[in-house]
Coordinates of all heavy atoms in Angstrom, one line a residue:
L129 N -3.8 13.5 -110.4 CA -4.6 13.7 -109.1 C -3.5 14.2 -108.0 O -3.9 14.4 -106.9 CB -5.1 12.4 -108.5 CG -6.3 11.9 -109.4 CD1 -6.7 10.6 -109.0 CD2 -7.4 12.9 -109.4
G130 N -2.3 14.5 -108.4 CA -1.3 14.9 -107.5 C -0.5 14.0 -106.8 O 0.4 14.3 -105.8
L131 N -0.6 12.7 -107.2 CA 0.2 11.7 -106.7 C 1.6 11.7 -107.3 O 1.9 11.9 -108.4 CB -0.3 10.2 -106.9 CG -1.8 9.9 -106.3 CD1 -2.1 8.6 -106.8 CD2 -1.8 10.2 -104.8
S132 N 2.6 11.4 -106.4 CA 4.1 11.3 -106.8 C 4.3 10.1 -107.6 O 3.4 9.0 -107.7 CB 5.0 11.3 -105.7 OG 4.8 10.3 -104.9
Y133 N 5.4 9.8 -108.2 CA 5.6 8.5 -108.9 C 5.5 7.5 -108.0 O 4.7 6.4 -108.3 CB 7.1 8.5 -109.4 CG 7.5 7.2 -109.9 CD1 7.2 6.8 -111.2 CD2 8.4 6.5 -109.1 CE1 7.6 5.6 -111.5 CE2 8.8 5.2 -109.7 CZ 8.5 4.8 -110.8 OH 8.8 3.5 -111.3
F134 N 6.2 7.4 -106.8 CA 6.0 6.2 -105.8 C 4.6 6.0 -105.3 O 4.2 5.0 -105.0 CB 7.0 6.3 -104.8 CG 8.4 6.1 -105.1 CD1 9.4 7.1 -105.4 CD2 8.8 4.8 -105.6 CE1 10.6 6.9 -105.9 CE2 10.1 4.6 -106.0 CZ 11.0 5.6 -106.2
Q135 N 3.9 7.2 -105.2 CA 2.4 7.1 -104.6 C 1.6 6.4 -105.7 O 0.8 5.7 -105.3 CB 2.0 8.5 -104.3 CG 2.6 9.1 -102.9 CD 2.0 10.5 -102.7 OE1 1.8 11.2 -103.5 NE2 2.0 10.7 -101.4
T136 N 2.0 6.8 -106.9 CA 1.2 6.2 -108.0 C 1.5 4.7 -108.2 O 0.5 3.9 -108.2 CB 1.4 6.9 -109.4 OG1 1.3 8.2 -109.3 CG2 0.7 6.3 -110.5
M137 N 2.7 4.3 -107.9 CA 3.0 2.9 -108.1 C 2.3 2.2 -106.8 O 1.8 1.0 -107.1 CB 4.6 2.8 -107.9 CG 5.4 3.3 -109.2 SD 5.0 2.4 -110.7 CE 5.7 0.8 -110.2
R138 N 2.4 2.8 -105.7 CA 1.8 2.0 -104.5 C 0.3 2.0 -104.6 O -0.2 0.9 -104.1 CB 2.3 2.8 -103.3 CG 1.7 2.2 -102.0 CD 2.0 3.1 -100.7 NE 1.5 2.6 -99.5 CZ 1.6 3.2 -98.3 NH1 2.2 4.3 -98.2 NH2 1.1 2.8 -97.3
H139 N -0.3 3.0 -104.9 CA -1.7 3.0 -104.8 C -2.5 2.7 -106.1 O -3.7 2.5 -106.1 CB -2.3 4.5 -104.3 CG -1.7 4.8 -103.0 ND1 -2.2 4.2 -101.8 CD2 -0.8 5.8 -102.6 CE1 -1.6 4.8 -100.8 NE2 -0.7 5.7 -101.3
V140 N -1.8 2.8 -107.2 CA -2.5 2.5 -108.5 C -1.8 1.2 -109.2 O -2.5 0.2 -109.4 CB -2.4 3.7 -109.5 CG1 -3.0 3.3 -110.8 CG2 -3.1 5.0 -108.8
V141 N -0.5 1.4 -109.5 CA 0.0 0.2 -110.4 C 0.2 -1.1 -109.7 O -0.3 -2.0 -110.2 CB 1.3 0.8 -110.9 CG1 2.2 -0.3 -111.7 CG2 1.3 2.1 -111.8
W142 N 0.7 -1.1 -108.5 CA 1.0 -2.3 -107.8 C -0.3 -3.1 -107.4 O -0.4 -4.3 -107.6 CB 1.9 -2.2 -106.6 CG 3.3 -1.9 -107.0 CD1 3.9 -2.3 -108.3 CD2 4.4 -1.3 -106.3 NE1 5.2 -1.8 -108.2 CE2 5.5 -1.2 -107.0 CE3 4.4 -0.8 -105.0 CZ2 6.7 -0.8 -106.5 CZ3 5.6 -0.3 -104.6 CH2 6.8 -0.3 -105.3

Side-chain angles (χ1 to χ4, degrees):
L129 293 174
L131 299 178
S132 65
Y133 168 80
F134 286 106
Q135 287 175 330
T136 302
M137 293 296 295
R138 177 184 176 185
H139 298 289
V140 179
V141 177
W142 286 340

